């Protein structure tokens, strides 16, 4: 199965699961009046809106490059993830206000056993979706699925806290306290999503270990004398690198081209969805102080 299709399936699964969880949790909240279940219910409602937005963003991101978007449409993914973080933060703030109100005006939980059953089912379903998303991330490195997965990871913690709250339902203050804890975790998740999305939208460099591996592969390619001015960024699932390749001054244009192609193919074989842009330059320029170089040692 190709990566684009795998990402699309993951987005559809997210919408379906979020809708199922919303119905289950609404049923449980209606009969228990638990603020913790309401917290989880609100999170599921946000999940649906965010997941639908991710579906649309992934479809846009997978649109092939055209004359007006020569580098593709990959930034649709981090843009959707950034918007998702705002939704998530909003739900967390609402939950904090609601939990504080319950501290002031306590409300006993009714039918805790029913709530326990529903939340255990929700936990198992969420764990199943999270496992599938982890698999998709490993295969595709999709930013949109990463942000969605981070949110569902917070759902797992939230479900566990709700289960604890229902199990100890006799302690009235515990329910709103755990509601505050869930809200804090949701808000933290929103910040993490926003940071990662913002880094991509601002063309943040690829992770240092990856850049070091790019240097190592390039510098161990036959006939390469050195490299300099490595730049990189990620746009959705697509990664871009560009650098100057130092070659022997006396090579023909054809020979230089073959070496460059060899470097490009080695890098693409190692990293999926990598776009490589290389400028060739004479190795004699290595003593030029205006160049920042990584030569072979």
């Amino acid at each position: 199965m190709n990566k684009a299709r795998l990402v699309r399936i993951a987005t559809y699964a997210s919408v379906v699961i979020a809708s199922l969880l919303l119905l289950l949790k609404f049923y449980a909240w209606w009969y228990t009046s638990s603020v913790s279940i309401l917290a989880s219910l609100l999170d599921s409602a946000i999940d649906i809106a965010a997941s639908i937005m991710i579906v649309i963003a992934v479809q846009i991101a997978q649109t092939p490059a055209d004359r007006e978007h020569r580098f593709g449409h990959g930034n649709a993914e981090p843009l959707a993830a950034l918007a998702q973080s705002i939704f998530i933060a909003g739900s967390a703030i609402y939950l904090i206000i609601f939990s504080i109100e319950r501290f002031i005006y306590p409300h006993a939980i009714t039918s805790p056993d029913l709530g326990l059953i529903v939340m255990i089912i929700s936990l198992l379903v969420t764990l199943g979706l999270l496992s599938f998303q982890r698999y998709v991330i490993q295969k595709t490195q999709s930013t949109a699925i990463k942000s969605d997965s981070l949110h569902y990871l917070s759902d797992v913690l939230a479900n566990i806290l709700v289960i604890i709250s229902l199990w100890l339902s006799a302690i009235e203050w515990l329910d709103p306290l755990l509601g505050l804890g869930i809200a804090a975790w949701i808000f933290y998740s929103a910040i993490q999503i926003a940071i990662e999305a913002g880094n991509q939208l601002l063309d943040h460099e690829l992770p240092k270990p990856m850049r070091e591996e790019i240097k190592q592969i390039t510098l161990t390619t036959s006939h390469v004398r050195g490299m300099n001015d490595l730049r990189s960024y990620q746009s959705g699932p697509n990664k871009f690198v560009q650098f100057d390749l130092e070659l022997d001054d006396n090579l023909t244009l054809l020979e230089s081209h073959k070496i460059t192609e060899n470097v490009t193919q080695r890098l693409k074989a190692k990293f999926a969805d990598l776009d490589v842009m290389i400028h060739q330059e004479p190795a004699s320029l290595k003593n030029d102080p205006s160049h920042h170089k990584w030569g072979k040692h």
Side-chain angles (χ1 to χ4, degrees), residues 20-76:
L20 174 63
L21 293 177
L22 178 68
L23 294 175
L24 283 173
K25 292 173 184 178
F26 180 80
Y27 174 74
W29 172 68
W30 185 263
Y31 282 95
T32 64
S33 297
S34 167
V35 68
S36 296
I37 291 181
L38 176 60
S40 192
L41 167 65
L42 289 173
D43 197 33
S44 292
I46 296 298
D47 284 345
I48 294 176
S51 295
I52 291 174
M53 184 166 50
I54 293 296
V55 169
I56 297 172
V58 165
Q59 290 179 342
I60 295 174
Q62 292 178 355
T63 303
D66 54 40
R67 188 170 295 178
E68 299 298 324
H69 305 86
R70 301 299 296 272
F71 291 97
H73 303 76
N75 274 342

Side-chain angles (χ1 to χ4, degrees), residues 180-202:
L180 282 173
I182 295 169
W185 177 258
I186 292 173
F187 194 80
Y188 171 77
S189 297
I191 293 174
Q192 295 299 108
I193 292 171
I195 290 174
E196 182 172 356
N199 282 339
Q200 286 202 28
L201 290 171
L202 295 173

